[in-house]
Amino acid sequence: KVTQAAEQNWAITKDKFGVLWLGGEDNFVNRYDGTKWTKILLDQNNPTIVRALAADENGIIYVGGNNQFGYIEPDSAGTRTYKSLKSRFTTASDITEKFLSDTSTIKLPATSEITIGELKSLVIKDSIVYFLSDRTLIMYNKEVDRLSYVSLRALGFRQFERIYLLNGRIILANNRLGLLELKDNKIILLPGGDFFKFKRCMAVFTYESEKIVVTTLDRGIFLFDCSTGMVDSSLLEKKLFKKLKEEFWTYSAVRLATGEMIFGTTDDGAYVFNASGKFIGHWTSDNLEMKDNVITTMYSDPSTCSELWISTTGSVTKAYVNLPFTQFSEKMGLLGSVSTFCKFNDVVYAAADQGLFKSITDEDGRRVFTLVNDINSQIFPLAVSKVERDSFLLAGSTFTGIYRINSN
């Protein structure tokens, strides 16, 4: 299912009501309730590109963008409106000193020198919403409506990329230092976290226990143990690890509730692996109903095993995953009207008015269909037959008789 959205969407989330929210260009957030799309305009005086979205337990949507942040909630009439927190930033509490180990050696900048920056990600833990830019960490206590911030540059940090909430821990990705943890008003390097210094960590998700999968833009995809610091580069098949590292930018990644890992690239669609790292599929506009191969973000609701949302340039695609159905289309090589499917010798056969087709897996891991022995006349009935120990497939042609396909 493909729908029109912003030209580029950079963030997707879902609220407790099952409503989907997408943030992108043009200073608005898209809301999709399953039947219709609604645009919610943000601050007209300070337009932005939305980079981050998250929903809390009450269904309030928090928004982060370029020099802009706030939240969406219903007003007294029930109309969902955006409330910007930007104007309150200059009067927010500067709590940088609480994060310093030695306040006598670091000079704090004046409030006028603090800037919001581009808020690329945000997380919600308990009553606190954490907005992160490359230079500033903003904290909003939604229970008491209090705003505070930490000047990351005053702490000596540069170039933060993302913030993640994993197993109750707040993890920060820094392009210069690697992976760090925010804990007890301190930002500390994780054991072995310096392996990821000078690597842009674009997506992180939990693998098992203390192990997480770290997706870098162009330096590979790794399994990282947060407690021991061990890094494993062999999670994915070697050939695909090298391909994703050297040929494409991997910008987004999600893990489905059933364990599959999906990595979105900026020009070659999505690569799919099972829970053990075996390559099982390559999704592109050539074989799926996606409009484009430039994937900017993806979203999978952990409580709903059957949905995956994929944002590409100019559209968003809803993929039905973990369902007892498989969809076959012309993009997979099926030509003409299909009358019958059957499975024989672990191969799917399709009878169509343009011939007999069978499914194969190509070198990219995609399931495609190809003509069987150049049988291109109209095929209607298919029947798997067995005579004593010999099994075979019978295919009836409207014009050229009956074909027998043996198990070999």
Side-chain angles (χ1 to χ4, degrees):
K1 179 178 181 180
V2 180
T3 53
Q4 294 299 312
E7 183 63 22
Q8 285 188 314
N9 294 284
W10 299 102
I12 304 177
T13 193
K14 184 183 285 188
D15 64 24
K16 70 172 186 176
F17 306 106
V19 175
L20 196 74
W21 300 79
L22 297 95
E25 300 175 339
D26 302 326
N27 197 43
F28 63 82
V29 171
N30 264 308
R31 178 181 183 271
Y32 179 61
D33 63 4
T35 58
K36 67 178 181 179
W37 291 85
T38 305
K39 286 184 179 181
I40 298 174
L41 185 65
L42 303 184
D43 188 348
Q44 297 186 62
N45 297 321
N46 299 280
T48 190
I49 297 175
V50 177
R51 296 288 188 179
L53 292 172
D56 72 3
E57 71 279 4
N58 298 314
I60 296 176
I61 307 300
Y62 291 88
V63 181
N66 187 13
N67 204 35
Q68 178 66 255
F69 67 106
Y71 57 90
I72 298 171
E73 68 174 1
D75 60 15
S76 58
T79 303
R80 290 167 179 83
T81 58
Y82 176 70
K83 294 185 178 181
S84 177
L85 294 172
K86 177 182 177 178
S87 61
R88 295 173 52 184
F89 180 71
T90 55
T91 58
S93 300
D94 183 355
I95 60 171
T96 307
E97 286 189 349
K98 294 182 179 181
F99 285 71
L100 297 176
S101 57
D102 185 356
T103 59
S104 65
T105 59
I106 299 179
K107 180 182 178 181
L108 295 177
T111 302
S112 60
E113 298 176 5
I114 301 296
T115 57
I116 296 173
E118 186 175 26
L119 299 167
K120 295 181 180 179
S121 57
L122 69 93
V123 297
I124 303 172
K125 183 180 181 183
D126 301 326
S127 62
I128 309 297
V129 185
Y130 298 84
F131 301 86
L132 181 72
S133 74
D134 67 334
R135 66 193 70 178
T136 309
L137 177 64
I138 303 172
M139 288 162 283
Y140 176 63
N141 189 320
K142 54 194 180 76
E143 286 190 356
V144 298
D145 190 30
R146 184 173 63 239
L147 200 62
S148 58
Y149 68 87
V150 177
S151 173
L152 298 172
R153 293 200 169 185
L155 298 177
F157 295 112
R158 297 290 188 276
Q159 297 184 10
F160 274 98
E161 186 69 47
R162 295 285 193 274
I163 186 170
Y164 307 100
L165 182 63
L166 303 169
N167 298 324
R169 302 171 67 176
I170 297 178
I171 307 299
L172 300 98
N174 184 278
N175 294 340
R176 291 189 175 187
L177 300 176
L179 292 180
L180 304 98
E181 181 178 7
L182 174 61
K183 184 177 181 181
D184 299 328
N185 285 347
K186 292 290 183 292
I187 299 176
I188 57 177
L189 189 68
L190 286 171
D194 58 345
F195 172 84
F196 296 98
K197 64 183 179 181
F198 303 113
K199 299 178 177 71
R200 297 184 65 184
C201 300
M202 308 306 297
V204 175
F205 57 76
T206 301
Y207 186 74
E208 61 181 21
S209 186
E210 292 294 310
K211 294 182 179 180
I212 62 177
V213 174
V214 182
T215 301
T216 68
L217 184 68
D218 56 0
R219 302 294 294 277
I221 298 168
F222 304 90
L223 185 62
F224 177 64
D225 192 316
C226 294
S227 60
T228 66
M230 295 295 294
V231 179
D232 183 2
S233 62
S234 64
L235 173 63
L236 307 184
E237 296 179 21
K238 186 175 181 180
K239 177 182 177 181
L240 272 299
F241 175 88
K242 183 178 180 181
K243 184 174 184 178
L244 290 172
K245 177 181 177 181
E246 298 180 356
E247 297 182 23
F248 309 110
W249 280 0
T250 309
Y251 195 82
S252 59
V254 295
R255 192 180 193 196
L256 303 181
T258 48
E260 290 87 355
M261 300 175 288
I262 304 175
F263 302 94
T265 70
T266 58
D267 55 2
D268 197 42
Y271 286 77
V272 188
F273 299 81
N274 65 14
S276 60
K278 179 178 174 58
F279 179 55
I280 58 176
H282 182 199
W283 300 347
T284 70
S285 58
D286 292 332
N287 57 24
L288 288 183
E289 298 302 323
M290 295 195 308
K291 295 294 186 183
D292 191 81
N293 289 331
V294 179
I295 296 179
T296 52
T297 188
M298 298 185 292
Y299 176 81
S300 175
D301 185 352
S303 63
T304 306
C305 299
S306 60
E307 291 184 7
L308 169 69
W309 292 87
I310 305 171
S311 177
T312 59
T313 302
S315 65
V316 58
T317 301
K318 180 180 180 180
Y320 294 94
V321 294
N322 195 35
L323 292 179
F325 305 99
T326 300
Q327 178 181 358
F328 305 119
S329 70
E330 288 185 354
K331 289 188 175 185
M332 304 175 71
L334 283 176
L335 303 178
S337 177
V338 176
S339 59
T340 309
F341 281 104
C342 80
K343 193 171 184 179
F344 172 62
N345 201 29
D346 292 326
V347 175
V348 176
Y349 287 83
D353 57 12
Q354 293 194 32
L356 178 64
F357 297 85
K358 71 174 181 179
S359 67
I360 63 171
T361 302
D362 66 13
E363 60 182 10
D364 289 326
R366 299 175 297 186
R367 172 177 279 186
V368 297
F369 282 83
T370 182
L371 273 176
V372 176
N373 295 334
D374 296 325
I375 300 174
N376 56 13
S377 61
Q378 186 182 49
I379 302 295
F380 182 68
L382 291 176
V384 177
S385 305
K386 187 173 183 179
V387 177
E388 296 180 348
R389 296 183 179 182
D390 187 18
S391 61
F392 47 87
L393 177 68
L394 294 178
S397 170
T398 305
F399 304 107
T400 55
I402 299 175
Y403 295 92
R404 167 173 167 162
I405 295 91
N406 295 323
S407 58
N408 60 3

